[in-house]
Amino acid sequence: MTNRGRDLLELILEPYGSDHWLRPGETFVVWALTAEDAGLFEVVHEPGTVTVWAPSHAFVGDEDGAEIDCGHHRPPPGLFRLPLP
């Protein structure tokens, strides 16, 4: 997936809850280690966030296949797009 917007885009990989933040123009690849019959990815898009539910153990990587760690480009506290209570 590629962030074609002007702001950070949060990618959440479930069921792990790992967060990966795409800068504008940045591309991530999500892949899973699974048997073909294990199911498909489920993708949900909401403003500022894309959530990917993987059928089995999954990874987020860059276009060259290097794994991207949880918290990649995560904004510092206080800069989240939604106000916290």
Side-chain angles (χ1 to χ4, degrees), residues 1-10 21-28 48:
M1 67 186 61
T2 300
N3 180 1
R4 301 226 187 265
R6 295 181 185 162
D7 300 315
L8 281 172
L9 177 64
E10 180 182 23
W21 297 76
L22 291 89
R23 292 179 175 161
E26 193 169 26
T27 298
F28 289 171

Side-chain angles (χ1 to χ4, degrees), residues 25-50:
E26 193 169 26
T27 298
F28 289 171
V29 177
V30 179
W31 72 96
L33 303 175
T34 183
E36 286 185 36
D37 61 351
L40 303 173
F41 287 102
E42 180 181 339
V43 179
V44 177
H45 178 258
E46 298 177 48
T49 303
V50 175

Side-chain angles (χ1 to χ4, degrees), residues 5-85:
R6 295 181 185 162
D7 300 315
L8 281 172
L9 177 64
E10 180 182 23
L11 166 63
I12 301 173
L13 182 59
E14 295 288 6
Y16 317 105
S18 63
D19 64 316
H20 313 266
W21 297 76
L22 291 89
R23 292 179 175 161
E26 193 169 26
T27 298
F28 289 171
V29 177
V30 179
W31 72 96
L33 303 175
T34 183
E36 286 185 36
D37 61 351
L40 303 173
F41 287 102
E42 180 181 339
V43 179
V44 177
H45 178 258
E46 298 177 48
T49 303
V50 175
T51 303
V52 176
W53 287 84
S56 69
H57 194 72
F59 301 91
V60 176
D62 63 18
E63 293 177 285
D64 296 322
E67 187 172 356
I68 296 173
D69 292 330
C70 176
H72 178 80
H73 295 317
R74 181 186 297 143
L79 296 180
F80 290 104
R81 64 189 177 286
L82 298 176
L84 300 175

